[in-house]
Amino acid sequence: MTAYLKKMTAFALSAVMALSMAGCGGNTDNEDSTAEGTTAAVETASARVSVDGTKFVVDGKELWINGTNTPWQCWNDFSGVMNEQYWDETFAQLAADNINCTRIWVNCNGESIVRLKTTGEIKEINEAHWTDLDTLFTLAKKHGIYIMATLTSFDHFKEPNGGYQKWRALITSKENCDGFADTYVKEFCQRYGSNEYLFSIDIMNEPDWVYENDECGKGEVSWEHLSYFFGKCASVIHQNCDTLVTVGLGMIKYNSDKYQGNYVSDAFLKELTGLEDAYLDFYSPHYYAWMMSTYPLPFKITAEEFGLDGTKPCVIGETPNDDSDKTGLTAADKYKLAYDNGWNGVMTWMDPVVDGENYSWYKYELTAEAANSMAETAYDKIYPIGKKTAE
């Protein structure tokens, strides 16, 4: 997504969400309804997501990611400033609209959470970060919402971010990459890997811009640097928990041998690291309308036709919910077409916009409409073990 939107520092629930919460936000009587008017309390079946070939499965049944992105309330909010009520209400609203998974940036650009030395070595980790994440994952379990946790972003490396040189020093050193994986990533897994609602770990948001853009490290940071980091982190994750691993590439360009090369392929990550467990469990490329002149709309074709290698589940990890004037597709169209063409999920991005002193999710109702429509089409795959009622 654009650099402007990535620098937005806060957003909260839209007026639509606030009105919806007025009717359901304080409800703790464990009542919930589906499109068919049935309910299901998940008491005994494991909610853990695993991979079977090119499918996600839960308790042996296929899972479809009816997802979205709620990346932050305020920039770097898991640094000791988390608003528990906001996230509790957010998860409640997502559950009410049959959204089963959301992508959250647990670290937006670095220094307030993982503090580095000028050499790129870890100096310390903010203990308040873990306290906030303890709360976040407790709320995810309470509401039955899967989390794709994004650990880093191109923003870490972007000038004038105060720590950008430290993060470039980290990513260009194998020793520093190993230290980050063996310290921060390992502790993250040990703390939250047993939570069945940690669906996946997204190692980095849109590393493409670190490689391509001058302000992010072009010419200084190579794909070998980035992919070594991905491979080492993936290996540590696989060694310490059962959580799935992905990388949210901004373009199919670097995720496919059809274009510039698949820089997150099993072969490339294993070659760089020498580690057999250095691999991604699924692909999650992003797609925006500006790509249409070069890359086809993924929703209308299979993941393999789009350029992915056909060996893993594939989710569209970021796409707008409001670009029908450019793509000719509503958010509901995107979800349904992707489902029909064998994709394993869609996660819309809801752009934050400023309205005076208030912040809101832009046109959240489009995502809600799409997710609720999909629940009528594929309810059993969205909730393969039944829809969880709030604890």
Side-chain angles (χ1 to χ4, degrees):
M1 62 179 297
T2 66
Y4 170 76
L5 292 175
K6 288 284 175 87
K7 290 194 292 185
M8 300 296 288
T9 59
F11 69 100
L13 299 172
S14 67
V16 172
M17 295 180 73
L19 289 172
S20 298
M21 286 306 305
C24 68
N27 185 2
T28 58
D29 59 2
N30 284 340
E31 292 182 3
D32 198 2
S33 62
T34 70
E36 283 75 30
T38 61
T39 63
V42 183
E43 299 293 345
T44 58
S46 172
R48 171 72 65 193
V49 183
S50 60
V51 168
D52 184 2
T54 58
K55 303 291 184 184
F56 297 125
V57 294
V58 177
D59 194 37
K61 306 175 185 70
E62 184 178 351
L63 170 71
W64 201 79
I65 299 298
N66 204 32
T68 193
N69 285 252
T70 55
W72 58 79
Q73 180 202 8
C74 58
W75 193 252
N76 289 319
D77 48 353
F78 305 109
S79 60
V81 296
M82 176 190 179
N83 183 329
E84 180 176 351
Q85 180 180 353
Y86 168 88
W87 285 101
D88 194 12
E89 292 176 351
T90 294
F91 285 143
Q93 186 64 55
L94 298 180
D97 288 318
N98 291 303
I99 293 168
N100 63 0
C101 182
T102 188
R103 179 169 173 258
I104 300 174
W105 297 21
V106 300
N107 186 343
C108 293
N109 71 341
E111 281 286 275
S112 61
I113 293 172
V114 179
R115 294 164 181 152
L116 303 180
K117 301 177 183 178
T118 56
T119 58
E121 300 169 273
I122 289 182
K123 180 179 181 180
E124 62 180 349
I125 299 170
N126 182 355
E127 281 299 318
H129 175 60
W130 301 126
T131 301
D132 283 348
L133 291 187
D134 290 347
T135 301
L136 182 74
F137 285 104
T138 297
L139 292 174
K141 184 177 179 181
K142 170 185 175 181
H143 293 285
I145 300 293
Y146 287 117
I147 292 178
M148 179 191 287
T150 301
L151 301 189
T152 60
S153 174
F154 71 87
D155 299 271
H156 287 66
F157 309 91
K158 185 176 181 179
E159 190 177 1
N161 168 26
Y164 78 94
Q165 287 287 19
K166 298 177 183 179
W167 286 96
R168 292 184 194 179
L170 183 151
I171 204 75
T172 54
S173 163
K174 288 184 177 181
E175 292 76 13
N176 289 344
C177 288
D178 291 351
F180 181 87
D182 291 332
T183 303
Y184 176 77
V185 176
K186 183 177 180 179
E187 184 165 358
F188 185 94
C189 292
Q190 291 176 341
R191 284 175 175 267
Y192 309 114
S194 61
N195 188 317
E196 295 176 347
Y197 288 93
L198 175 57
F199 157 61
S200 62
I201 295 173
D202 175 12
I203 298 171
M204 186 179 293
N205 171 66
E206 298 186 353
D208 321 51
W209 313 131
V210 184
Y211 177 73
E212 287 202 351
N213 293 354
D214 289 334
E215 69 271 21
C216 295
K218 181 179 180 180
E220 183 178 351
V221 182
S222 68
W223 274 113
E224 285 74 13
H225 292 133
L226 290 161
S227 296
Y228 179 88
F229 177 73
F230 304 151
K232 177 62 180 181
C233 288
S235 175
V236 167
I237 295 166
H238 288 134
Q239 290 172 15
N240 287 278
C241 64
D242 294 329
T243 304
L244 305 182
V245 185
T246 191
V247 174
L249 285 158
M251 300 178 285
I252 187 64
K253 178 179 180 179
Y254 299 115
N255 201 171
S256 173
D257 290 330
K258 184 177 179 179
Y259 298 106
Q260 295 297 310
N262 186 359
Y263 291 102
V264 290
S265 71
D266 293 359
F268 193 59
L269 299 187
K270 291 178 181 181
E271 177 186 356
L272 289 174
T273 62
L275 301 168
E276 279 302 306
D277 45 13
Y279 61 87
L280 304 187
D281 295 287
F282 67 99
Y283 295 131
S284 57
H286 301 174
Y287 195 89
Y288 285 82
W290 62 264
M291 301 177 188
M292 291 174 61
S293 62
T294 308
Y295 311 109
L297 279 167
F299 316 97
K300 294 184 175 182
I301 54 180
T302 67
E304 197 164 2
E305 289 169 334
F306 185 54
L308 297 170
D309 61 26
T311 64
K312 305 174 187 290
C314 299
V315 171
I316 299 167
E318 257 194 43
T319 190
N321 64 6
D322 67 333
D323 62 352
S324 60
D325 59 326
K326 301 179 182 69
T327 63
L329 300 176
T330 65
D333 292 335
K334 288 181 176 183
Y335 283 67
K336 182 60 164 58
L337 286 168
Y339 175 81
D340 289 343
N341 281 294
W343 288 83
N344 304 98
V346 175
M347 307 183 80
T348 54
W349 181 273
M350 298 178 295
D351 296 335
V353 294
V354 180
D355 180 16
E357 294 183 358
N358 299 317
Y359 296 84
S360 64
W361 282 352
Y362 182 47
K363 297 183 179 178
Y364 169 77
E365 66 270 18
L366 299 179
T367 292
E369 178 185 354
N372 281 315
S373 178
M374 277 304 302
E376 296 179 5
T377 298
Y379 186 86
D380 288 346
K381 291 183 180 179
I382 295 169
Y383 299 112
I385 58 173
K387 186 172 183 178
K388 184 180 178 69
T389 55
E391 296 175 351

